[in-house]
Short mmCIF file of all heavy atoms in Angstrom, two decimals:
data_model
loop_
_atom_site.label_atom_id
_atom_site.label_comp_id
_atom_site.label_asym_id
_atom_site.label_seq_id
_atom_site.Cartn_x
_atom_site.Cartn_y
_atom_site.Cartn_z
N MET Z 363 78.02 119.16 72.00
CA MET Z 363 78.15 120.12 73.08
C MET Z 363 79.53 120.06 73.71
O MET Z 363 80.15 121.06 74.00
CB MET Z 363 77.03 119.84 74.11
CG MET Z 363 77.00 120.81 75.22
SD MET Z 363 76.43 122.37 74.56
CE MET Z 363 76.33 123.32 75.98
N GLU Z 364 79.95 118.87 73.98
CA GLU Z 364 81.32 118.72 74.59
C GLU Z 364 82.44 119.25 73.69
O GLU Z 364 83.41 119.81 74.18
CB GLU Z 364 81.53 117.21 74.92
CG GLU Z 364 82.79 116.95 75.70
CD GLU Z 364 82.82 117.50 77.10
OE1 GLU Z 364 81.67 117.68 77.70
OE2 GLU Z 364 83.84 117.84 77.64
N LEU Z 365 82.30 119.04 72.37
CA LEU Z 365 83.32 119.51 71.50
C LEU Z 365 83.40 121.04 71.47
O LEU Z 365 84.50 121.64 71.43
CB LEU Z 365 83.07 119.04 70.06
CG LEU Z 365 83.37 117.56 69.80
CD1 LEU Z 365 82.98 117.14 68.46
CD2 LEU Z 365 84.82 117.25 70.09
N ARG Z 366 82.29 121.72 71.59
CA ARG Z 366 82.29 123.18 71.65
C ARG Z 366 83.02 123.70 72.87
O ARG Z 366 83.78 124.62 72.87
CB ARG Z 366 80.88 123.73 71.65
CG ARG Z 366 80.33 123.84 70.30
CD ARG Z 366 79.01 124.69 70.37
NE ARG Z 366 78.04 123.91 69.59
CZ ARG Z 366 76.78 123.81 69.88
NH1 ARG Z 366 76.28 124.42 70.92
NH2 ARG Z 366 75.99 123.11 69.10
N ARG Z 367 82.78 123.02 74.02
CA ARG Z 367 83.46 123.33 75.28
C ARG Z 367 84.96 123.18 75.15
O ARG Z 367 85.74 123.96 75.60
CB ARG Z 367 82.88 122.49 76.40
CG ARG Z 367 83.21 123.09 77.76
CD ARG Z 367 82.43 122.27 78.81
NE ARG Z 367 83.11 121.03 78.95
CZ ARG Z 367 83.55 120.60 80.17
NH1 ARG Z 367 83.30 121.30 81.23
NH2 ARG Z 367 84.20 119.46 80.28
N LEU Z 368 85.36 122.10 74.47
CA LEU Z 368 86.82 121.86 74.30
C LEU Z 368 87.43 122.91 73.38
O LEU Z 368 88.57 123.37 73.60
CB LEU Z 368 87.08 120.45 73.74
CG LEU Z 368 86.77 119.29 74.69
CD1 LEU Z 368 86.92 117.96 73.98
CD2 LEU Z 368 87.70 119.35 75.88
N HIS Z 369 86.74 123.30 72.36
CA HIS Z 369 87.28 124.32 71.44
C HIS Z 369 87.41 125.67 72.12
O HIS Z 369 88.28 126.46 71.79
CB HIS Z 369 86.41 124.42 70.18
CG HIS Z 369 86.54 123.27 69.26
ND1 HIS Z 369 87.73 122.99 68.62
CD2 HIS Z 369 85.68 122.31 68.85
CE1 HIS Z 369 87.66 121.87 67.88
NE2 HIS Z 369 86.32 121.46 68.01
N ARG Z 370 86.49 125.97 73.08
CA ARG Z 370 86.57 127.21 73.78
C ARG Z 370 87.70 127.22 74.83
O ARG Z 370 88.15 128.25 75.28
CB ARG Z 370 85.27 127.52 74.52
CG ARG Z 370 84.13 127.91 73.60
CD ARG Z 370 83.00 128.49 74.41
NE ARG Z 370 82.65 127.70 75.59
CZ ARG Z 370 81.60 126.95 75.76
NH1 ARG Z 370 80.70 126.82 74.77
NH2 ARG Z 370 81.37 126.27 76.87
N GLY Z 371 88.14 126.04 75.19
CA GLY Z 371 89.23 125.94 76.22
C GLY Z 371 88.73 125.88 77.65
O GLY Z 371 89.45 126.02 78.56
N ASP Z 372 87.40 125.65 77.79
CA ASP Z 372 86.91 125.51 79.13
C ASP Z 372 87.33 124.16 79.77
O ASP Z 372 87.15 123.11 79.16
CB ASP Z 372 85.33 125.48 79.10
CG ASP Z 372 84.80 126.87 78.68
OD1 ASP Z 372 85.57 127.82 78.72
OD2 ASP Z 372 83.62 126.89 78.31
N THR Z 373 87.87 124.24 80.90
CA THR Z 373 88.24 123.04 81.63
C THR Z 373 87.85 123.13 83.09
O THR Z 373 87.71 124.26 83.65
CB THR Z 373 89.78 122.80 81.58
OG1 THR Z 373 90.42 123.92 82.10
CG2 THR Z 373 90.21 122.55 80.20
N THR Z 374 87.62 122.05 83.73
CA THR Z 374 87.33 122.01 85.15
C THR Z 374 88.61 121.68 85.92
O THR Z 374 89.22 120.65 85.66
CB THR Z 374 86.26 120.94 85.42
OG1 THR Z 374 85.14 121.21 84.62
CG2 THR Z 374 85.86 120.90 86.89
N ILE Z 375 89.02 122.59 86.77
CA ILE Z 375 90.20 122.36 87.58
C ILE Z 375 89.80 121.85 88.97
O ILE Z 375 88.98 122.43 89.68
CB ILE Z 375 90.97 123.71 87.72
CG1 ILE Z 375 91.33 124.26 86.36
CG2 ILE Z 375 92.23 123.50 88.59
CD1 ILE Z 375 92.25 123.38 85.51
N VAL Z 376 90.39 120.73 89.36
CA VAL Z 376 90.18 120.14 90.66
C VAL Z 376 91.52 119.94 91.31
O VAL Z 376 92.35 119.18 90.83
CB VAL Z 376 89.44 118.79 90.50
CG1 VAL Z 376 89.20 118.11 91.86
CG2 VAL Z 376 88.18 118.93 89.73
N LEU Z 377 91.69 120.65 92.48
CA LEU Z 377 92.98 120.55 93.25
C LEU Z 377 94.20 120.80 92.37
O LEU Z 377 95.23 120.14 92.48
CB LEU Z 377 93.02 119.23 93.99
CG LEU Z 377 91.96 118.97 94.99
CD1 LEU Z 377 92.06 117.51 95.52
CD2 LEU Z 377 92.08 119.93 96.15
N GLY Z 378 94.12 121.73 91.46
CA GLY Z 378 95.24 122.10 90.64
C GLY Z 378 95.46 121.36 89.31
O GLY Z 378 96.33 121.71 88.58
N PHE Z 379 94.65 120.37 89.06
CA PHE Z 379 94.74 119.62 87.81
C PHE Z 379 93.39 119.62 87.11
O PHE Z 379 92.35 119.89 87.71
CB PHE Z 379 95.18 118.16 88.05
CG PHE Z 379 96.51 118.01 88.65
CD1 PHE Z 379 96.71 117.60 89.99
CD2 PHE Z 379 97.64 118.22 87.86
CE1 PHE Z 379 97.99 117.44 90.52
CE2 PHE Z 379 98.89 118.04 88.38
CZ PHE Z 379 99.06 117.67 89.72
N THR Z 380 93.43 119.28 85.81
CA THR Z 380 92.16 119.05 85.13
C THR Z 380 91.46 117.88 85.76
O THR Z 380 92.07 117.06 86.42
CB THR Z 380 92.37 118.85 83.67
OG1 THR Z 380 93.17 117.70 83.46
CG2 THR Z 380 93.00 120.05 82.93
N ALA Z 381 90.15 117.76 85.60
CA ALA Z 381 89.34 116.75 86.29
C ALA Z 381 89.88 115.32 86.06
O ALA Z 381 90.09 114.59 87.03
CB ALA Z 381 87.93 116.86 85.91
N PRO Z 382 90.12 114.91 84.79
CA PRO Z 382 90.64 113.55 84.58
C PRO Z 382 92.00 113.31 85.25
O PRO Z 382 92.26 112.25 85.82
CB PRO Z 382 90.70 113.38 83.06
CG PRO Z 382 89.82 114.41 82.54
CD PRO Z 382 89.87 115.54 83.51
N THR Z 383 92.90 114.28 85.14
CA THR Z 383 94.20 114.16 85.72
C THR Z 383 94.11 114.10 87.26
O THR Z 383 94.80 113.35 87.94
CB THR Z 383 95.11 115.26 85.33
OG1 THR Z 383 95.22 115.34 83.87
CG2 THR Z 383 96.54 115.09 85.86
N SER Z 384 93.20 114.91 87.83
CA SER Z 384 93.01 114.95 89.27
C SER Z 384 92.53 113.56 89.71
O SER Z 384 92.94 113.05 90.77
CB SER Z 384 92.04 116.03 89.61
OG SER Z 384 91.88 116.10 90.96
N LEU Z 385 91.58 112.99 88.97
CA LEU Z 385 91.11 111.66 89.31
C LEU Z 385 92.26 110.62 89.36
O LEU Z 385 92.32 109.82 90.27
CB LEU Z 385 90.01 111.21 88.34
CG LEU Z 385 89.53 109.79 88.49
CD1 LEU Z 385 88.78 109.65 89.86
CD2 LEU Z 385 88.61 109.39 87.37
N LEU Z 386 93.11 110.71 88.34
CA LEU Z 386 94.23 109.77 88.31
C LEU Z 386 95.20 110.01 89.42
O LEU Z 386 95.60 109.01 90.10
CB LEU Z 386 94.96 109.94 86.95
CG LEU Z 386 96.22 109.06 86.75
CD1 LEU Z 386 95.76 107.59 86.68
CD2 LEU Z 386 96.94 109.49 85.53
N VAL Z 387 95.56 111.23 89.73
CA VAL Z 387 96.56 111.50 90.72
C VAL Z 387 96.03 111.28 92.09
O VAL Z 387 96.63 110.61 92.94
CB VAL Z 387 97.09 112.96 90.56
CG1 VAL Z 387 97.95 113.38 91.76
CG2 VAL Z 387 97.82 113.10 89.26
N TYR Z 388 94.89 111.84 92.45
CA TYR Z 388 94.35 111.77 93.82
C TYR Z 388 93.42 110.58 94.05
O TYR Z 388 93.37 110.08 95.18
CB TYR Z 388 93.59 113.05 94.15
CG TYR Z 388 94.46 114.27 94.05
CD1 TYR Z 388 94.14 115.29 93.15
CD2 TYR Z 388 95.54 114.40 94.83
CE1 TYR Z 388 94.93 116.44 93.07
CE2 TYR Z 388 96.34 115.55 94.77
CZ TYR Z 388 95.99 116.54 93.88
OH TYR Z 388 96.84 117.67 93.79
N GLY Z 389 92.78 110.11 93.04
CA GLY Z 389 91.83 109.02 93.23
C GLY Z 389 92.41 107.63 93.08
O GLY Z 389 92.44 106.85 94.01
N LEU Z 390 92.97 107.38 91.91
CA LEU Z 390 93.42 106.04 91.61
C LEU Z 390 94.73 105.70 92.30
O LEU Z 390 94.99 104.57 92.69
CB LEU Z 390 93.55 105.87 90.07
CG LEU Z 390 92.26 106.03 89.26
CD1 LEU Z 390 92.51 105.83 87.84
CD2 LEU Z 390 91.20 105.10 89.81
N SER Z 391 95.64 106.71 92.40
CA SER Z 391 96.94 106.39 92.99
C SER Z 391 96.91 106.28 94.53
O SER Z 391 97.73 105.64 95.11
CB SER Z 391 97.96 107.46 92.56
OG SER Z 391 97.58 108.72 93.10
N LEU Z 392 95.93 106.90 95.15
CA LEU Z 392 95.81 106.78 96.62
C LEU Z 392 94.88 105.62 97.08
O LEU Z 392 94.98 105.18 98.19
CB LEU Z 392 95.29 108.04 97.24
CG LEU Z 392 96.20 109.30 96.99
CD1 LEU Z 392 95.58 110.52 97.60
CD2 LEU Z 392 97.56 109.08 97.61
N ALA Z 393 94.08 105.12 96.13
CA ALA Z 393 93.15 104.04 96.53
C ALA Z 393 93.83 102.76 97.01
O ALA Z 393 93.34 102.19 97.98
CB ALA Z 393 92.22 103.72 95.31
N PRO Z 394 94.95 102.31 96.47
CA PRO Z 394 95.55 101.09 97.00
C PRO Z 394 96.08 101.23 98.39
O PRO Z 394 96.32 100.19 99.05
CB PRO Z 394 96.75 100.84 96.03
CG PRO Z 394 96.37 101.55 94.78
CD PRO Z 394 95.59 102.76 95.22
N TRP Z 395 96.26 102.41 98.92
CA TRP Z 395 96.74 102.58 100.29
C TRP Z 395 95.75 102.12 101.36
O TRP Z 395 96.15 101.72 102.43
CB TRP Z 395 97.17 104.02 100.54
CG TRP Z 395 98.44 104.36 99.86
CD1 TRP Z 395 98.64 104.96 98.66
CD2 TRP Z 395 99.78 104.07 100.31
NE1 TRP Z 395 99.96 105.01 98.38
CE2 TRP Z 395 100.67 104.55 99.37
CE3 TRP Z 395 100.24 103.45 101.50
CZ2 TRP Z 395 102.06 104.35 99.54
CZ3 TRP Z 395 101.63 103.33 101.66
CH2 TRP Z 395 102.51 103.81 100.72
N ILE Z 396 94.51 102.22 101.02
CA ILE Z 396 93.43 101.89 102.02
C ILE Z 396 93.50 100.38 102.41
O ILE Z 396 93.67 100.06 103.55
CB ILE Z 396 92.09 102.29 101.54
CG1 ILE Z 396 92.00 103.82 101.40
CG2 ILE Z 396 90.97 101.78 102.42
CD1 ILE Z 396 90.81 104.35 100.62
N PRO Z 397 93.46 99.48 101.38
CA PRO Z 397 93.57 98.05 101.77
C PRO Z 397 95.00 97.71 102.30
O PRO Z 397 95.14 96.81 103.15
CB PRO Z 397 93.29 97.26 100.51
CG PRO Z 397 93.34 98.30 99.40
CD PRO Z 397 93.12 99.60 99.98
N LEU Z 398 96.00 98.39 101.77
CA LEU Z 398 97.35 98.14 102.26
C LEU Z 398 97.49 98.39 103.75
O LEU Z 398 98.06 97.62 104.48
CB LEU Z 398 98.36 98.94 101.46
CG LEU Z 398 99.85 98.79 101.88
CD1 LEU Z 398 100.30 97.37 101.60
CD2 LEU Z 398 100.67 99.78 101.23
N LEU Z 399 96.96 99.56 104.17
CA LEU Z 399 97.01 99.90 105.57
C LEU Z 399 96.14 98.98 106.44
O LEU Z 399 96.54 98.56 107.54
CB LEU Z 399 96.57 101.38 105.81
CG LEU Z 399 97.52 102.39 105.22
CD1 LEU Z 399 96.90 103.79 105.32
CD2 LEU Z 399 98.86 102.36 105.89
N ALA Z 400 95.03 98.56 105.93
CA ALA Z 400 94.13 97.66 106.64
C ALA Z 400 94.84 96.27 106.79
O ALA Z 400 94.79 95.66 107.85
CB ALA Z 400 92.82 97.49 105.88
N ILE Z 401 95.47 95.82 105.75
CA ILE Z 401 96.19 94.51 105.80
C ILE Z 401 97.32 94.59 106.77
O ILE Z 401 97.58 93.65 107.53
CB ILE Z 401 96.61 94.05 104.40
CG1 ILE Z 401 95.40 93.67 103.58
CG2 ILE Z 401 97.58 92.93 104.47
CD1 ILE Z 401 95.67 93.53 102.11
N THR Z 402 98.07 95.68 106.74
CA THR Z 402 99.23 95.88 107.64
C THR Z 402 98.78 95.84 109.08
O THR Z 402 99.32 95.16 109.94
CB THR Z 402 99.96 97.18 107.34
OG1 THR Z 402 100.40 97.13 105.98
CG2 THR Z 402 101.10 97.37 108.22
N TRP Z 403 97.65 96.60 109.39
CA TRP Z 403 97.16 96.60 110.73
C TRP Z 403 96.69 95.25 111.19
O TRP Z 403 96.95 94.82 112.30
CB TRP Z 403 96.02 97.63 110.81
CG TRP Z 403 95.44 97.73 112.16
CD1 TRP Z 403 95.94 98.40 113.26
CD2 TRP Z 403 94.18 97.18 112.60
NE1 TRP Z 403 95.09 98.27 114.33
CE2 TRP Z 403 94.01 97.51 113.94
CE3 TRP Z 403 93.19 96.40 111.96
CZ2 TRP Z 403 92.88 97.11 114.67
CZ3 TRP Z 403 92.08 96.08 112.67
CH2 TRP Z 403 91.95 96.37 114.00
N ALA Z 404 95.99 94.55 110.33
CA ALA Z 404 95.44 93.21 110.65
C ALA Z 404 96.61 92.23 110.83
O ALA Z 404 96.57 91.37 111.75
CB ALA Z 404 94.50 92.73 109.56
N PHE Z 405 97.64 92.33 110.04
CA PHE Z 405 98.80 91.40 110.20
C PHE Z 405 99.49 91.62 111.53
O PHE Z 405 99.79 90.66 112.23
CB PHE Z 405 99.83 91.67 109.05
CG PHE Z 405 101.07 90.84 109.22
CD1 PHE Z 405 101.07 89.51 108.83
CD2 PHE Z 405 102.21 91.37 109.75
CE1 PHE Z 405 102.24 88.71 108.98
CE2 PHE Z 405 103.34 90.62 109.90
CZ PHE Z 405 103.36 89.29 109.51
N GLU Z 406 99.73 92.88 111.89
CA GLU Z 406 100.37 93.14 113.18
C GLU Z 406 99.53 92.63 114.34
O GLU Z 406 100.05 92.13 115.29
CB GLU Z 406 100.65 94.63 113.30
CG GLU Z 406 101.78 95.12 112.42
CD GLU Z 406 102.04 96.61 112.55
OE1 GLU Z 406 101.27 97.28 113.28
OE2 GLU Z 406 102.97 97.10 111.95
N LYS Z 407 98.26 92.82 114.24
CA LYS Z 407 97.34 92.42 115.30
C LYS Z 407 97.25 90.85 115.38
O LYS Z 407 97.23 90.31 116.46
CB LYS Z 407 95.98 93.05 115.10
CG LYS Z 407 95.10 92.92 116.26
CD LYS Z 407 93.87 93.82 116.08
CE LYS Z 407 92.96 93.77 117.21
NZ LYS Z 407 93.22 94.69 118.26
N ALA Z 408 97.17 90.20 114.24
CA ALA Z 408 96.91 88.74 114.24
C ALA Z 408 98.16 87.92 114.31
O ALA Z 408 98.18 86.86 114.89
CB ALA Z 408 96.17 88.38 112.96
N TYR Z 409 99.27 88.38 113.66
CA TYR Z 409 100.42 87.53 113.57
C TYR Z 409 101.71 88.01 114.26
O TYR Z 409 102.54 87.19 114.60
CB TYR Z 409 100.75 87.27 112.09
CG TYR Z 409 99.68 86.58 111.37
CD1 TYR Z 409 98.83 87.24 110.48
CD2 TYR Z 409 99.43 85.22 111.51
CE1 TYR Z 409 97.84 86.60 109.80
CE2 TYR Z 409 98.44 84.56 110.87
CZ TYR Z 409 97.66 85.26 109.99
OH TYR Z 409 96.61 84.61 109.34
N PHE Z 410 101.83 89.31 114.39
CA PHE Z 410 103.11 89.81 114.87
C PHE Z 410 102.88 90.88 115.93
O PHE Z 410 103.12 92.03 115.75
CB PHE Z 410 103.94 90.39 113.73
CG PHE Z 410 105.42 90.46 114.05
CD1 PHE Z 410 106.23 89.31 114.06
CD2 PHE Z 410 106.00 91.70 114.36
CE1 PHE Z 410 107.53 89.40 114.39
CE2 PHE Z 410 107.35 91.78 114.67
CZ PHE Z 410 108.14 90.61 114.69
N GLY Z 411 102.39 90.40 117.07
CA GLY Z 411 102.10 91.27 118.17
C GLY Z 411 103.27 91.46 119.11
O GLY Z 411 104.39 91.05 118.78
N PRO Z 412 103.05 91.99 120.30
CA PRO Z 412 104.12 92.20 121.23
C PRO Z 412 104.82 90.96 121.72
O PRO Z 412 106.04 90.90 121.89
CB PRO Z 412 103.44 92.89 122.41
CG PRO Z 412 102.16 93.39 121.91
CD PRO Z 412 101.78 92.55 120.75
N GLU Z 413 104.08 89.83 121.85
CA GLU Z 413 104.71 88.59 122.30
C GLU Z 413 105.66 88.07 121.23
O GLU Z 413 106.78 87.61 121.54
CB GLU Z 413 103.66 87.54 122.57
CG GLU Z 413 102.70 87.88 123.68
CD GLU Z 413 101.55 88.70 123.23
OE1 GLU Z 413 101.24 88.77 122.01
OE2 GLU Z 413 100.89 89.34 124.09
N GLU Z 414 105.22 88.17 119.94
CA GLU Z 414 106.07 87.66 118.84
C GLU Z 414 107.30 88.57 118.75
O GLU Z 414 108.41 88.11 118.42
CB GLU Z 414 105.32 87.65 117.54
CG GLU Z 414 104.27 86.55 117.43
CD GLU Z 414 102.94 86.86 118.16
OE1 GLU Z 414 102.74 88.04 118.55
OE2 GLU Z 414 102.19 85.99 118.40
N GLN Z 415 107.15 89.86 118.94
CA GLN Z 415 108.29 90.83 118.83
C GLN Z 415 109.29 90.49 119.96
O GLN Z 415 110.47 90.52 119.73
CB GLN Z 415 107.81 92.26 119.01
CG GLN Z 415 108.94 93.28 118.88
CD GLN Z 415 109.57 93.30 117.52
OE1 GLN Z 415 108.89 93.38 116.55
NE2 GLN Z 415 110.89 93.29 117.50
N ALA Z 416 108.81 90.16 121.15
CA ALA Z 416 109.72 89.84 122.27
C ALA Z 416 110.48 88.54 121.94
O ALA Z 416 111.67 88.45 122.15
CB ALA Z 416 108.91 89.69 123.56
N ARG Z 417 109.79 87.58 121.38
CA ARG Z 417 110.43 86.31 121.01
C ARG Z 417 111.45 86.53 119.93
O ARG Z 417 112.54 85.99 119.94
CB ARG Z 417 109.39 85.29 120.61
CG ARG Z 417 109.95 83.97 120.15
CD ARG Z 417 110.62 83.23 121.33
NE ARG Z 417 111.23 82.00 120.81
CZ ARG Z 417 112.45 81.61 121.02
NH1 ARG Z 417 113.27 82.28 121.81
NH2 ARG Z 417 112.91 80.50 120.50
N PHE Z 418 111.12 87.34 118.96
CA PHE Z 418 112.02 87.67 117.88
C PHE Z 418 113.29 88.34 118.42
O PHE Z 418 114.41 88.07 118.02
CB PHE Z 418 111.36 88.54 116.84
CG PHE Z 418 112.21 88.95 115.70
CD1 PHE Z 418 112.55 88.05 114.71
CD2 PHE Z 418 112.70 90.23 115.62
CE1 PHE Z 418 113.34 88.39 113.62
CE2 PHE Z 418 113.56 90.62 114.56
CZ PHE Z 418 113.86 89.69 113.60
N ASP Z 419 113.12 89.28 119.33
CA ASP Z 419 114.24 89.98 119.95
C ASP Z 419 115.14 89.01 120.67
O ASP Z 419 116.36 89.12 120.65
CB ASP Z 419 113.74 91.08 120.88
CG ASP Z 419 113.09 92.23 120.10
OD1 ASP Z 419 113.34 92.39 118.87
OD2 ASP Z 419 112.32 93.00 120.74
N GLU Z 420 114.51 88.03 121.37
CA GLU Z 420 115.32 87.02 122.07
C GLU Z 420 116.18 86.22 121.09
O GLU Z 420 117.30 85.93 121.33
CB GLU Z 420 114.38 86.06 122.84
CG GLU Z 420 113.80 86.64 124.07
CD GLU Z 420 112.76 85.71 124.71
OE1 GLU Z 420 112.78 84.49 124.33
OE2 GLU Z 420 112.01 86.18 125.54
N ILE Z 421 115.53 85.82 119.97
CA ILE Z 421 116.29 85.03 118.96
C ILE Z 421 117.41 85.79 118.36
O ILE Z 421 118.52 85.28 118.20
CB ILE Z 421 115.29 84.55 117.89
CG1 ILE Z 421 114.28 83.55 118.43
CG2 ILE Z 421 116.05 83.96 116.67
CD1 ILE Z 421 113.13 83.23 117.51
N VAL Z 422 117.20 87.06 118.08
CA VAL Z 422 118.25 87.91 117.53
C VAL Z 422 119.39 88.11 118.55
O VAL Z 422 120.58 87.96 118.20
CB VAL Z 422 117.68 89.31 117.06
CG1 VAL Z 422 118.81 90.27 116.73
CG2 VAL Z 422 116.77 89.12 115.89
N ALA Z 423 119.03 88.33 119.78
CA ALA Z 423 120.06 88.50 120.83
C ALA Z 423 120.86 87.20 121.02
O ALA Z 423 122.09 87.26 121.19
CB ALA Z 423 119.43 88.92 122.15
N GLU Z 424 120.20 86.09 120.93
CA GLU Z 424 120.87 84.81 121.05
C GLU Z 424 121.81 84.55 119.92
O GLU Z 424 122.88 84.06 120.05
CB GLU Z 424 119.77 83.69 121.10
CG GLU Z 424 120.33 82.32 121.40
CD GLU Z 424 119.23 81.28 121.49
OE1 GLU Z 424 118.38 81.46 122.38
OE2 GLU Z 424 119.20 80.40 120.62
N ALA Z 425 121.38 84.96 118.73
CA ALA Z 425 122.18 84.74 117.54
C ALA Z 425 123.42 85.65 117.57
O ALA Z 425 124.47 85.29 117.02
CB ALA Z 425 121.37 85.01 116.26
N LYS Z 426 123.34 86.84 118.17
CA LYS Z 426 124.47 87.74 118.22
C LYS Z 426 125.43 87.44 119.38
O LYS Z 426 126.52 87.97 119.42
CB LYS Z 426 123.94 89.16 118.35
CG LYS Z 426 123.31 89.73 117.15
CD LYS Z 426 122.87 91.15 117.33
CE LYS Z 426 122.26 91.68 116.08
NZ LYS Z 426 121.85 93.09 116.25
N ASP Z 427 124.99 86.58 120.27
CA ASP Z 427 125.85 86.21 121.43
C ASP Z 427 127.03 85.43 120.99
O ASP Z 427 126.86 84.32 120.40
CB ASP Z 427 125.01 85.43 122.46
CG ASP Z 427 125.72 85.18 123.76
OD1 ASP Z 427 126.86 85.71 123.93
OD2 ASP Z 427 125.14 84.49 124.60
N PRO Z 428 128.28 85.90 121.21
CA PRO Z 428 129.44 85.13 120.76
C PRO Z 428 129.66 83.86 121.50
O PRO Z 428 130.34 82.95 121.02
CB PRO Z 428 130.60 86.11 120.99
CG PRO Z 428 130.13 87.10 122.00
CD PRO Z 428 128.63 87.18 121.85
N ARG Z 429 129.08 83.71 122.66
CA ARG Z 429 129.22 82.49 123.47
C ARG Z 429 128.29 81.40 122.99
O ARG Z 429 128.42 80.28 123.36
CB ARG Z 429 128.96 82.73 124.95
CG ARG Z 429 129.99 83.68 125.56
CD ARG Z 429 129.64 84.09 126.97
NE ARG Z 429 128.51 85.04 126.84
CZ ARG Z 429 127.56 85.17 127.79
NH1 ARG Z 429 127.58 84.43 128.87
NH2 ARG Z 429 126.60 86.04 127.62
N HIS Z 430 127.36 81.73 122.13
CA HIS Z 430 126.37 80.75 121.64
C HIS Z 430 126.93 80.07 120.45
O HIS Z 430 127.18 80.64 119.40
CB HIS Z 430 125.09 81.50 121.26
CG HIS Z 430 124.05 80.59 120.70
ND1 HIS Z 430 123.37 79.65 121.45
CD2 HIS Z 430 123.53 80.49 119.44
CE1 HIS Z 430 122.55 79.01 120.69
NE2 HIS Z 430 122.61 79.47 119.47
N PRO Z 431 127.20 78.67 120.54
CA PRO Z 431 127.70 77.98 119.35
C PRO Z 431 126.65 77.83 118.29
O PRO Z 431 125.41 77.83 118.60
CB PRO Z 431 128.07 76.60 119.93
CG PRO Z 431 127.16 76.43 121.14
CD PRO Z 431 126.98 77.86 121.67
N PRO Z 432 127.03 77.79 117.02
CA PRO Z 432 126.05 77.64 115.96
C PRO Z 432 125.37 76.28 116.08
O PRO Z 432 125.91 75.29 116.45
CB PRO Z 432 126.84 77.74 114.68
CG PRO Z 432 128.29 77.77 115.06
CD PRO Z 432 128.43 77.90 116.54
N ARG Z 433 124.09 76.26 115.64
CA ARG Z 433 123.33 74.97 115.64
C ARG Z 433 123.79 74.14 114.49
O ARG Z 433 124.45 74.60 113.54
CB ARG Z 433 121.84 75.26 115.54
CG ARG Z 433 121.30 76.03 116.77
CD ARG Z 433 119.87 76.28 116.61
NE ARG Z 433 119.37 77.08 117.77
CZ ARG Z 433 118.41 77.95 117.63
NH1 ARG Z 433 117.82 78.16 116.50
NH2 ARG Z 433 118.06 78.65 118.69
N ASP Z 434 123.33 72.89 114.48
CA ASP Z 434 123.71 72.01 113.37
C ASP Z 434 123.17 72.54 112.04
O ASP Z 434 122.02 73.00 111.94
CB ASP Z 434 123.06 70.62 113.57
CG ASP Z 434 123.69 69.86 114.74
OD1 ASP Z 434 124.87 70.21 115.07
OD2 ASP Z 434 123.03 68.97 115.32
N GLY Z 435 124.06 72.57 111.06
CA GLY Z 435 123.64 73.03 109.75
C GLY Z 435 123.83 74.55 109.57
O GLY Z 435 123.64 75.01 108.48
N GLU Z 436 124.25 75.27 110.58
CA GLU Z 436 124.44 76.67 110.49
C GLU Z 436 125.91 76.97 110.32
O GLU Z 436 126.75 76.24 110.78
CB GLU Z 436 123.92 77.42 111.73
CG GLU Z 436 122.45 77.42 111.90
CD GLU Z 436 122.00 78.19 113.13
OE1 GLU Z 436 122.86 78.75 113.77
OE2 GLU Z 436 120.80 78.21 113.45
N ASP Z 437 126.25 78.01 109.68
CA ASP Z 437 127.63 78.41 109.52
C ASP Z 437 128.10 79.27 110.67
O ASP Z 437 127.49 80.04 111.24
CB ASP Z 437 127.85 79.17 108.21
CG ASP Z 437 127.66 78.30 107.00
OD1 ASP Z 437 127.89 77.09 107.16
OD2 ASP Z 437 127.30 78.82 105.99
#
């Protein structure tokens, strides 16, 4: 049955592509973004929040200060 359909040229179009291609483009390629976004959100919330950002900004400002001598082992 499937071979007859292929010989007739019948295809199922989903969002502009044939069904298998549409699955690859829209399904499989977008699926990794879901855990990536979840991990990013969890990291910012758990490890790099506003307090850590403020401390990081202080360290950067201190490092850029020309009056601040380098620490031992730094160039």
